[in-house]
Amino acid sequence: MTRATTSPAPPPRRAASDAAGSSTTILLSDPRVGAVPVHDAGEPLVRLPEALSPVRALVRAGLAERLTAAAAALPAGVGLEVVEGHRTVAEQRAIIATYAADLCARHPGISATDLHVLTSRFVAPVDVAPHVAGAAVDVTLVDACGDELDLGTPIDATPEQSEGRCYLDADGIGADARAHRDLLALVLRGAGLVNYPTEWWHWSYGDRYWALLTGAPHALHGPVEIAVAA
């Protein structure tokens, strides 16, 4: 996906075993995220057009508009592809359970507190989960033929599987992948979205994490049941 403006050198690649990510990374398990109040704007979930999301992911209406704007800001021959949007509570809990089980196998005797923190690097606790609020998307970039560009790791690669290269600012991903990540960040930040730093593909707008990072007084979206606008 391609060329973006020059950006500052990224920090060193995070180690997969680093529970906190880095001193500057705020994880979704951080109590400050849960402390953000929610004043739900009542926006409906809408289905994204197939050109933007072949799976027709569901997101809040305002987020859909921002994603459309971000896609329009990409250079010719490069497209934005949304692979996931809204998740049900049951789906979120299933992902948590699967990843937590893997971590327990890797770290026998891990405490409940440490497990909660480590798990949150890859999947959000249900009560603050941006996907459950319809406020987050997992995205990538594709070429004119619809083939995914090199972004360094597959979407949903865990910190363990990727040796930390799933972090947005990770080192060791190659020049093309770095340029593509920089471009993705440029257009999505330009549309008002924020990234979860442990996952280059995860971006959100209007949720508690977004509010904390942007200094907004409250989140715009809380958990939402599936009810699609016409």
Side-chain angles (χ1 to χ4, degrees):
M1 281 165 155
T2 198
R3 308 303 166 255
T5 56
T6 302
S7 59
R13 177 166 58 87
R14 277 71 168 190
S17 60
D18 182 1
S22 80
S23 60
T24 59
T25 298
I26 299 175
L27 295 178
L28 281 155
S29 57
D30 192 303
R32 290 174 292 178
V33 181
V36 174
V38 178
H39 297 172
D40 201 292
E43 290 183 3
L45 289 172
V46 299
R47 215 170 273 285
L48 292 172
E50 189 173 356
L52 185 57
S53 175
V55 299
R56 302 293 312 278
L58 292 169
V59 298
R60 297 279 191 153
L63 176 55
E65 294 174 0
R66 291 173 182 276
L67 291 167
T68 299
L74 288 167
V78 179
L80 184 68
E81 183 173 301
V82 177
V83 303
E84 188 172 14
H86 177 264
R87 289 180 195 147
T88 65
V89 170
E91 289 169 336
Q92 189 74 11
R93 286 180 174 153
I95 298 170
I96 292 170
T98 298
Y99 184 50
D102 177 71
L103 290 174
C104 286
R106 291 173 182 270
H107 305 283
I110 188 172
S111 70
T113 298
D114 287 346
L115 180 62
H116 179 65
V117 172
L118 276 177
T119 301
S120 75
R121 295 169 309 151
F122 180 67
V123 56
V126 170
D127 57 341
V128 298
H131 281 287
V132 173
V137 286
D138 293 342
V139 297
T140 190
L141 294 173
V142 295
D143 64 19
C145 296
D147 295 325
E148 187 174 342
L149 296 181
D150 177 14
L151 281 107
T153 75
I155 287 178
D156 285 343
T158 69
E160 291 75 23
Q161 291 166 340
S162 67
E163 297 183 326
R165 290 188 293 273
C166 58
Y167 282 66
L168 178 67
D169 291 332
D171 284 340
I173 62 170
D176 285 347
R178 171 53 51 205
H180 296 155
R181 288 190 188 188
D182 287 348
L183 177 60
L184 184 67
L186 181 70
V187 298
L188 290 174
R189 285 177 176 145
L193 280 68
V194 301
N195 170 250
Y196 191 46
T198 64
E199 300 176 346
W200 62 260
W201 57 86
H202 178 103
W203 294 80
S204 66
Y205 176 81
D207 59 298
R208 283 169 151 169
Y209 195 78
W210 165 86
L212 181 63
L213 264 58
T214 63
H218 57 81
L220 305 176
H221 309 309
V224 62
E225 298 296 331
I226 296 178
V228 185

